[in-house]
Amino acid sequence: MADFTYGPVEILLISFDGDRPGAALGEALTDLIAEKTITLLDLIFVSRSAEGDLRIVEVEDLPEKAQLPDLALGELGLAGLDDVEELAAELPPGTSAAVLVVELAWARHFASELAASGGAVLHQERIPAAVVNAVLDAAG
């Protein structure tokens, strides 16, 4: 069996109201990490001023770090500056977002077994929860 150090990784751009996330983001991430659902590899905050200037702040440079206690990051710098700028290109002026790089820890064993058996994922697509719920509500 191939023994992978990491399972599949996703990069998410998550917008939020105001110029920074509330404490709920840290709490939700802490819960997912404790449940071994994800491993948080990198976390970066971005904001676009009303004039359109992009500001990028690494989590370790946050003055409000107390809002995100005990978030151990596995691979700082995994999301490079070019990646972050590309993700934030559509961020409207006056808004903010978080760039999260997360390992899907729940899938690590599956990925190892799949590779060991000669299998490969040919396509993967994620449908946002809001879309799934809206479609199911409309169909129900």
Side-chain angles (χ1 to χ4, degrees):
M1 175 177 85
D3 193 20
F4 290 156
T5 302
Y6 292 107
V9 170
E10 290 192 357
I11 300 175
L12 305 153
L13 179 69
I14 301 173
S15 65
F16 41 84
D17 294 333
D19 62 351
R20 65 183 57 105
L25 175 64
E27 292 168 10
L29 289 172
T30 301
D31 289 347
L32 290 170
I33 292 165
E35 295 165 357
K36 298 190 183 314
T37 303
I38 67 164
T39 303
L40 183 61
L41 300 176
D42 203 357
L43 175 62
I44 300 163
F45 295 98
V46 295
S47 61
R48 188 169 303 281
S49 70
E51 295 76 32
D53 298 321
L54 186 65
R55 180 173 180 239
I56 300 172
V57 180
E58 300 279 346
V59 70
E60 68 270 15
D61 296 331
L62 283 176
E64 313 87 29
K65 188 165 172 135
Q67 291 183 1
L68 301 171
D70 304 323
L71 283 182
L73 300 172
E75 300 290 339
L76 284 176
L78 195 57
L81 181 60
D82 290 344
D83 299 321
V84 174
E85 288 175 344
E86 183 179 331
L87 285 168
E90 300 298 319
L91 196 62
T95 62
S96 300
V99 176
L100 285 82
V101 180
V102 296
E103 174 210 10
L104 305 179
W106 61 267
R108 187 182 310 140
H109 179 72
F110 175 72
S112 294
E113 292 289 339
L114 185 64
S117 68
V121 175
L122 297 179
H123 178 80
Q124 180 175 350
E125 187 169 332
R126 176 78 36 125
I127 303 169
V131 173
V132 172
N133 285 283
V135 168
L136 292 176
D137 284 348

Short mmCIF file of all heavy atoms in Angstrom, two decimals, residues 59-101:
data_model
loop_
_atom_site.label_atom_id
_atom_site.label_comp_id
_atom_site.label_asym_id
_atom_site.label_seq_id
_atom_site.Cartn_x
_atom_site.Cartn_y
_atom_site.Cartn_z
N VAL A 59 -1.56 34.42 8.32
CA VAL A 59 -2.19 34.26 9.62
C VAL A 59 -1.23 34.59 10.76
O VAL A 59 -1.63 35.16 11.78
CB VAL A 59 -2.81 32.85 9.79
CG1 VAL A 59 -1.76 31.78 9.90
CG2 VAL A 59 -3.76 32.81 10.97
N GLU A 60 0.06 34.28 10.61
CA GLU A 60 1.00 34.56 11.69
C GLU A 60 1.28 36.05 11.84
O GLU A 60 1.82 36.49 12.86
CB GLU A 60 2.31 33.78 11.51
CG GLU A 60 3.14 34.21 10.33
CD GLU A 60 2.83 33.47 9.05
OE1 GLU A 60 1.78 32.81 8.97
OE2 GLU A 60 3.63 33.56 8.13
N ASP A 61 0.89 36.86 10.85
CA ASP A 61 1.09 38.31 10.92
C ASP A 61 -0.14 39.06 11.41
O ASP A 61 -0.13 40.28 11.47
CB ASP A 61 1.49 38.85 9.54
CG ASP A 61 2.82 38.29 9.07
OD1 ASP A 61 3.66 37.98 9.93
OD2 ASP A 61 3.00 38.17 7.85
N LEU A 62 -1.19 38.34 11.75
CA LEU A 62 -2.44 38.98 12.19
C LEU A 62 -2.30 39.56 13.59
O LEU A 62 -1.90 38.85 14.51
CB LEU A 62 -3.58 37.98 12.23
CG LEU A 62 -4.23 37.57 10.93
CD1 LEU A 62 -5.28 36.50 11.20
CD2 LEU A 62 -4.86 38.75 10.24
N PRO A 63 -2.64 40.81 13.77
CA PRO A 63 -2.65 41.35 15.12
C PRO A 63 -3.76 40.73 15.96
O PRO A 63 -3.68 40.68 17.17
CB PRO A 63 -2.87 42.85 14.93
CG PRO A 63 -3.39 43.00 13.56
CD PRO A 63 -2.94 41.82 12.77
N GLU A 64 -4.80 40.23 15.30
CA GLU A 64 -5.94 39.62 15.99
C GLU A 64 -5.75 38.13 16.18
O GLU A 64 -6.71 37.39 16.35
CB GLU A 64 -7.24 39.82 15.21
CG GLU A 64 -7.52 41.19 14.71
CD GLU A 64 -6.89 41.46 13.35
OE1 GLU A 64 -6.70 40.54 12.55
OE2 GLU A 64 -6.57 42.62 13.11
N LYS A 65 -4.52 37.63 16.17
CA LYS A 65 -4.29 36.19 16.23
C LYS A 65 -4.99 35.53 17.42
O LYS A 65 -5.32 34.36 17.38
CB LYS A 65 -2.80 35.87 16.28
CG LYS A 65 -2.56 34.39 16.16
CD LYS A 65 -1.15 34.04 15.83
CE LYS A 65 -1.03 32.56 15.95
NZ LYS A 65 -0.38 31.86 15.01
N ALA A 66 -5.27 36.31 18.46
CA ALA A 66 -5.99 35.76 19.61
C ALA A 66 -7.36 35.23 19.21
O ALA A 66 -7.92 34.38 19.90
CB ALA A 66 -6.12 36.82 20.69
N GLN A 67 -7.91 35.70 18.09
CA GLN A 67 -9.21 35.21 17.64
C GLN A 67 -9.10 33.80 17.05
O GLN A 67 -10.09 33.14 16.85
CB GLN A 67 -9.79 36.13 16.58
CG GLN A 67 -10.22 37.48 17.09
CD GLN A 67 -10.86 38.30 15.99
OE1 GLN A 67 -11.00 37.87 14.85
NE2 GLN A 67 -11.24 39.51 16.33
N LEU A 68 -7.88 33.36 16.73
CA LEU A 68 -7.68 32.05 16.13
C LEU A 68 -6.69 31.23 16.95
O LEU A 68 -5.67 30.78 16.45
CB LEU A 68 -7.15 32.20 14.69
CG LEU A 68 -8.04 32.99 13.74
CD1 LEU A 68 -7.32 33.27 12.44
CD2 LEU A 68 -9.34 32.25 13.48
N PRO A 69 -6.98 31.03 18.22
CA PRO A 69 -6.03 30.31 19.06
C PRO A 69 -5.94 28.83 18.68
O PRO A 69 -6.90 28.24 18.20
CB PRO A 69 -6.60 30.48 20.47
CG PRO A 69 -8.07 30.67 20.25
CD PRO A 69 -8.19 31.40 18.94
N ASP A 70 -4.78 28.28 18.87
CA ASP A 70 -4.56 26.84 18.72
C ASP A 70 -4.80 26.29 17.33
O ASP A 70 -5.10 25.11 17.17
CB ASP A 70 -5.41 26.05 19.73
CG ASP A 70 -5.15 26.49 21.16
OD1 ASP A 70 -4.00 26.80 21.47
OD2 ASP A 70 -6.12 26.54 21.93
N LEU A 71 -4.67 27.14 16.30
CA LEU A 71 -4.79 26.64 14.94
C LEU A 71 -3.38 26.33 14.43
O LEU A 71 -2.66 27.20 14.00
CB LEU A 71 -5.46 27.66 14.02
CG LEU A 71 -6.97 27.78 14.12
CD1 LEU A 71 -7.49 28.80 13.11
CD2 LEU A 71 -7.66 26.46 13.92
N ALA A 72 -3.01 25.08 14.51
CA ALA A 72 -1.71 24.66 14.02
C ALA A 72 -1.79 24.53 12.50
O ALA A 72 -2.69 23.87 11.98
CB ALA A 72 -1.31 23.33 14.64
N LEU A 73 -0.87 25.17 11.81
CA LEU A 73 -0.84 25.11 10.35
C LEU A 73 0.25 24.14 9.92
O LEU A 73 1.39 24.24 10.36
CB LEU A 73 -0.59 26.50 9.77
CG LEU A 73 -1.65 27.54 10.13
CD1 LEU A 73 -1.23 28.92 9.67
CD2 LEU A 73 -2.98 27.16 9.53
N GLY A 74 -0.10 23.21 9.03
CA GLY A 74 0.81 22.15 8.65
C GLY A 74 1.87 22.53 7.65
O GLY A 74 2.99 22.02 7.71
N GLU A 75 1.58 23.39 6.70
CA GLU A 75 2.52 23.69 5.62
C GLU A 75 2.39 25.15 5.21
O GLU A 75 1.90 25.46 4.13
CB GLU A 75 2.25 22.78 4.40
CG GLU A 75 2.39 21.31 4.67
CD GLU A 75 3.82 20.87 4.92
OE1 GLU A 75 4.76 21.58 4.51
OE2 GLU A 75 4.00 19.81 5.55
N LEU A 76 2.85 26.05 6.06
CA LEU A 76 2.78 27.48 5.73
C LEU A 76 3.44 27.74 4.40
O LEU A 76 4.48 27.16 4.08
CB LEU A 76 3.47 28.31 6.81
CG LEU A 76 2.70 28.49 8.10
CD1 LEU A 76 3.55 29.24 9.12
CD2 LEU A 76 1.41 29.23 7.87
N GLY A 77 2.85 28.61 3.61
CA GLY A 77 3.41 28.97 2.33
C GLY A 77 2.99 28.06 1.19
O GLY A 77 3.42 28.25 0.05
N LEU A 78 2.15 27.08 1.48
CA LEU A 78 1.70 26.16 0.42
C LEU A 78 0.93 26.92 -0.65
O LEU A 78 1.07 26.64 -1.84
CB LEU A 78 0.85 25.04 1.02
CG LEU A 78 0.60 23.84 0.14
CD1 LEU A 78 1.90 23.20 -0.32
CD2 LEU A 78 -0.23 22.81 0.89
N ALA A 79 0.12 27.87 -0.23
CA ALA A 79 -0.55 28.75 -1.20
C ALA A 79 0.39 29.92 -1.45
O ALA A 79 0.64 30.73 -0.56
CB ALA A 79 -1.88 29.25 -0.65
N GLY A 80 0.93 29.99 -2.63
CA GLY A 80 1.87 31.05 -2.97
C GLY A 80 1.17 32.36 -3.28
O GLY A 80 -0.06 32.40 -3.46
N LEU A 81 1.95 33.41 -3.35
CA LEU A 81 1.42 34.74 -3.63
C LEU A 81 0.64 34.76 -4.94
O LEU A 81 -0.45 35.34 -5.01
CB LEU A 81 2.56 35.76 -3.66
CG LEU A 81 2.17 37.21 -3.92
CD1 LEU A 81 1.22 37.72 -2.84
CD2 LEU A 81 3.41 38.08 -4.00
N ASP A 82 1.15 34.11 -5.98
CA ASP A 82 0.44 34.07 -7.26
C ASP A 82 -0.91 33.38 -7.13
O ASP A 82 -1.90 33.83 -7.71
CB ASP A 82 1.28 33.35 -8.32
CG ASP A 82 2.51 34.15 -8.74
OD1 ASP A 82 2.57 35.36 -8.45
OD2 ASP A 82 3.41 33.54 -9.35
N ASP A 83 -0.94 32.28 -6.37
CA ASP A 83 -2.20 31.56 -6.15
C ASP A 83 -3.23 32.45 -5.47
O ASP A 83 -4.39 32.52 -5.87
CB ASP A 83 -1.99 30.32 -5.28
CG ASP A 83 -1.04 29.31 -5.89
OD1 ASP A 83 -1.11 29.11 -7.12
OD2 ASP A 83 -0.24 28.73 -5.13
N VAL A 84 -2.78 33.14 -4.42
CA VAL A 84 -3.68 33.98 -3.64
C VAL A 84 -4.19 35.14 -4.48
O VAL A 84 -5.39 35.46 -4.47
CB VAL A 84 -2.97 34.49 -2.36
CG1 VAL A 84 -3.85 35.48 -1.62
CG2 VAL A 84 -2.60 33.32 -1.46
N GLU A 85 -3.30 35.77 -5.24
CA GLU A 85 -3.72 36.88 -6.10
C GLU A 85 -4.73 36.42 -7.15
O GLU A 85 -5.70 37.12 -7.44
CB GLU A 85 -2.51 37.53 -6.76
CG GLU A 85 -1.68 38.34 -5.78
CD GLU A 85 -0.40 38.89 -6.40
OE1 GLU A 85 0.01 38.42 -7.49
OE2 GLU A 85 0.18 39.81 -5.79
N GLU A 86 -4.51 35.23 -7.71
CA GLU A 86 -5.44 34.70 -8.71
C GLU A 86 -6.80 34.42 -8.09
O GLU A 86 -7.84 34.75 -8.66
CB GLU A 86 -4.88 33.43 -9.33
CG GLU A 86 -5.75 32.85 -10.42
CD GLU A 86 -5.15 31.60 -11.05
OE1 GLU A 86 -3.92 31.45 -11.07
OE2 GLU A 86 -5.95 30.76 -11.51
N LEU A 87 -6.81 33.80 -6.91
CA LEU A 87 -8.08 33.52 -6.23
C LEU A 87 -8.82 34.80 -5.88
O LEU A 87 -10.05 34.87 -5.98
CB LEU A 87 -7.83 32.72 -4.95
CG LEU A 87 -7.48 31.26 -5.12
CD1 LEU A 87 -6.97 30.67 -3.82
CD2 LEU A 87 -8.69 30.48 -5.62
N ALA A 88 -8.09 35.82 -5.47
CA ALA A 88 -8.70 37.06 -5.00
C ALA A 88 -9.02 38.03 -6.13
O ALA A 88 -9.56 39.11 -5.88
CB ALA A 88 -7.78 37.73 -3.98
N ALA A 89 -8.74 37.66 -7.36
CA ALA A 89 -8.95 38.56 -8.50
C ALA A 89 -10.40 39.04 -8.60
O ALA A 89 -10.66 40.17 -8.99
CB ALA A 89 -8.52 37.89 -9.80
N GLU A 90 -11.33 38.19 -8.24
CA GLU A 90 -12.76 38.53 -8.35
C GLU A 90 -13.33 39.12 -7.07
O GLU A 90 -14.53 39.39 -7.00
CB GLU A 90 -13.56 37.29 -8.76
CG GLU A 90 -13.15 36.69 -10.08
CD GLU A 90 -13.35 37.64 -11.25
OE1 GLU A 90 -14.39 38.34 -11.29
OE2 GLU A 90 -12.47 37.70 -12.13
N LEU A 91 -12.50 39.30 -6.06
CA LEU A 91 -12.98 39.86 -4.79
C LEU A 91 -13.40 41.31 -5.00
O LEU A 91 -12.59 42.14 -5.39
CB LEU A 91 -11.85 39.76 -3.75
CG LEU A 91 -12.20 39.93 -2.29
CD1 LEU A 91 -13.15 38.83 -1.84
CD2 LEU A 91 -10.94 39.89 -1.45
N PRO A 92 -14.65 41.63 -4.76
CA PRO A 92 -15.13 43.00 -5.00
C PRO A 92 -14.50 44.00 -4.02
O PRO A 92 -14.14 43.64 -2.89
CB PRO A 92 -16.64 42.91 -4.75
CG PRO A 92 -16.97 41.46 -4.78
CD PRO A 92 -15.74 40.73 -4.36
N PRO A 93 -14.38 45.25 -4.44
CA PRO A 93 -13.86 46.29 -3.55
C PRO A 93 -14.68 46.37 -2.26
O PRO A 93 -15.90 46.20 -2.27
CB PRO A 93 -14.00 47.57 -4.38
CG PRO A 93 -13.97 47.11 -5.80
CD PRO A 93 -14.66 45.77 -5.78
N GLY A 94 -13.99 46.59 -1.15
CA GLY A 94 -14.64 46.72 0.14
C GLY A 94 -15.00 45.40 0.80
O GLY A 94 -15.77 45.38 1.74
N THR A 95 -14.44 44.28 0.28
CA THR A 95 -14.75 42.98 0.87
C THR A 95 -13.48 42.25 1.29
O THR A 95 -12.38 42.66 0.95
CB THR A 95 -15.53 42.08 -0.12
OG1 THR A 95 -14.72 41.84 -1.27
CG2 THR A 95 -16.84 42.73 -0.54
N SER A 96 -13.68 41.17 2.03
CA SER A 96 -12.56 40.37 2.55
C SER A 96 -12.85 38.90 2.36
O SER A 96 -13.99 38.49 2.13
CB SER A 96 -12.38 40.65 4.04
OG SER A 96 -12.11 42.00 4.27
N ALA A 97 -11.79 38.10 2.48
CA ALA A 97 -11.94 36.65 2.35
C ALA A 97 -10.78 35.96 3.06
O ALA A 97 -9.78 36.58 3.39
CB ALA A 97 -11.99 36.25 0.88
N ALA A 98 -10.95 34.67 3.26
CA ALA A 98 -9.88 33.82 3.78
C ALA A 98 -9.56 32.79 2.73
O ALA A 98 -10.46 32.24 2.09
CB ALA A 98 -10.33 33.14 5.08
N VAL A 99 -8.27 32.55 2.53
CA VAL A 99 -7.81 31.48 1.66
C VAL A 99 -7.39 30.35 2.58
O VAL A 99 -6.47 30.52 3.40
CB VAL A 99 -6.63 31.93 0.76
CG1 VAL A 99 -6.11 30.76 -0.06
CG2 VAL A 99 -7.05 33.09 -0.13
N LEU A 100 -8.05 29.23 2.48
CA LEU A 100 -7.74 28.07 3.30
C LEU A 100 -7.19 26.97 2.42
O LEU A 100 -7.77 26.68 1.37
CB LEU A 100 -8.99 27.53 4.01
CG LEU A 100 -9.52 28.30 5.20
CD1 LEU A 100 -10.36 29.46 4.74
CD2 LEU A 100 -10.31 27.38 6.07
N VAL A 101 -6.10 26.38 2.84
CA VAL A 101 -5.56 25.19 2.19
C VAL A 101 -5.75 24.07 3.19
O VAL A 101 -5.17 24.10 4.28
CB VAL A 101 -4.08 25.35 1.81
CG1 VAL A 101 -3.56 24.10 1.12
CG2 VAL A 101 -3.88 26.59 0.93
#
